[in-house]
């Protein structure tokens, strides 16, 4: 029907805002959200062909980070969460994260689509401290920002947006009743030159 096609790739937090963004943009763009999130950067790389499919994308809004920061069982090939107190290790070291993300960006650029990177939202102290280190997203966001600057990929800074607009959160992975979709919609509208409403 002539609408630009937008693929939104990301973790479970991404899915929370992607569906609302899709509803807001339904008149002007076709928003596609994979049925399952891509996981950490290593898993995402292995699934990238399936996630991209065979169609043409006008824009890909993407994020990787939370799954890379989760502590996992080192004895399993698949990523299975395990408390760091029980011997869990982080799914991706900073070096692995950078290497994998560089390859992901190169492959996404090869599609010819415009790209927008979303920073990972803040990880505060919570009941998940045995699986995630509070504040650990800061270093990984910095790694991603360096890569995006090199490739001239615009950044949708969701981390800064949450810090400025969300005062109290008991669960760093839940955005129920928080309009986090707003900066996502704005970034898609800007990059594709869509009508704002």
């Amino acid at each position: 029907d002539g609408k630009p096609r937008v693929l939104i790739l990301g973790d479970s937090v991404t899915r929370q805002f992607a569906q609302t963004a899709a509803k807001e943009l339904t008149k002007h763009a076709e928003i596609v959200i994979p049925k399952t999130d891509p996981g950490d950067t290593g898993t995402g790389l292995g699934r990238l062909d399936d996630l991209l499919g065979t169609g043409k994308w006008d824009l890909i809004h993407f994020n990787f980070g939370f799954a890379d920061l989760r502590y996992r069982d080192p004895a399993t090939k698949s990523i299975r969460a395990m408390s760091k107190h029980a011997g869990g290790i982080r799914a991706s070291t900073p070096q692995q994260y950078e290497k994998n993300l560089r390859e992901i960006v190169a492959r996404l650029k090869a599609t010819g689509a415009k790209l927008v990177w979303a920073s990972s939202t803040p990880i505060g102290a919570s009941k998940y401290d045995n699986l995630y280190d509070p504040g650990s997203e800061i270093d990984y966001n910095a790694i991603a920002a360096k890569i995006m600057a090199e490739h001239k990929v615009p950044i949708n800074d969701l981390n800064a947006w949450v810090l400025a607009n969300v005062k109290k959160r008991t669960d760093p992975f839940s955005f129920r009743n928080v309009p986090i979709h707003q900066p996502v919609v704005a970034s898609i509208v800007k990059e594709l030159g869509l009508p704002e409403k």
Side-chain angles (χ1 to χ4, degrees):
D1 58 5
K3 293 180 186 176
R5 297 184 74 232
V6 178
L7 177 65
I8 299 183
L9 292 179
D11 52 36
S12 56
V13 169
T14 301
R15 299 183 73 75
Q16 294 176 63
F17 62 67
Q19 292 168 357
T20 307
K23 288 177 185 175
E24 285 210 3
L25 292 169
T26 188
K27 289 184 180 179
H28 306 295
E30 177 191 352
I31 309 294
V32 177
I33 309 156
K35 291 182 180 178
T36 57
D37 69 63
D40 64 286
T41 50
T43 304
L45 266 175
R47 297 186 55 219
L48 208 50
D49 287 342
D50 288 337
L51 293 166
L52 289 171
T54 56
K56 179 184 179 298
W57 300 107
D58 294 284
L59 185 145
I60 301 172
H61 184 288
F62 68 112
N63 164 269
F64 289 86
F66 277 147
D68 292 87
L69 291 165
R70 184 172 55 221
Y71 282 90
R72 55 162 292 196
D73 183 351
T76 60
K77 203 168 189 180
S78 61
I79 301 293
R80 189 173 75 186
M82 175 186 274
S83 167
K84 59 186 176 183
H85 307 302
I89 61 169
R90 192 170 280 175
S92 301
T93 65
Q95 294 77 17
Q96 289 170 325
Y97 179 71
E98 180 170 355
K99 178 179 181 294
N100 292 341
L101 189 56
R102 284 186 180 282
E103 189 171 340
I104 288 170
V105 171
R107 288 176 63 181
L108 294 183
K109 285 186 74 173
T111 67
K114 292 184 177 183
L115 304 182
V116 175
W117 168 258
S119 60
S120 294
T121 50
I123 300 175
S126 74
K127 63 183 179 181
Y128 300 106
D129 287 359
N130 61 329
L131 295 176
Y132 293 87
D133 292 324
S136 56
E137 84 288 349
I138 295 170
D139 289 341
Y140 282 47
N141 277 340
I143 291 169
K146 178 179 71 172
I147 296 170
M148 302 310 148
E150 291 172 6
H151 288 276
K152 297 181 172 55
V153 173
I155 295 176
N156 181 8
D157 196 349
L158 294 182
N159 188 281
W161 188 91
V162 170
L163 290 174
N165 293 280
V166 183
K167 302 307 177 191
K168 290 184 179 180
R169 290 173 65 212
T170 57
D171 182 348
F173 307 105
S174 175
F175 285 89
R176 185 174 290 131
N177 301 322
V178 176
I180 194 173
H181 68 284
Q182 292 174 350
V184 178
V185 169
S187 68
I188 293 171
V189 165
K190 178 182 176 183
E191 292 304 317
L192 292 178
L194 299 175
E196 293 197 13
K197 291 292 180 183

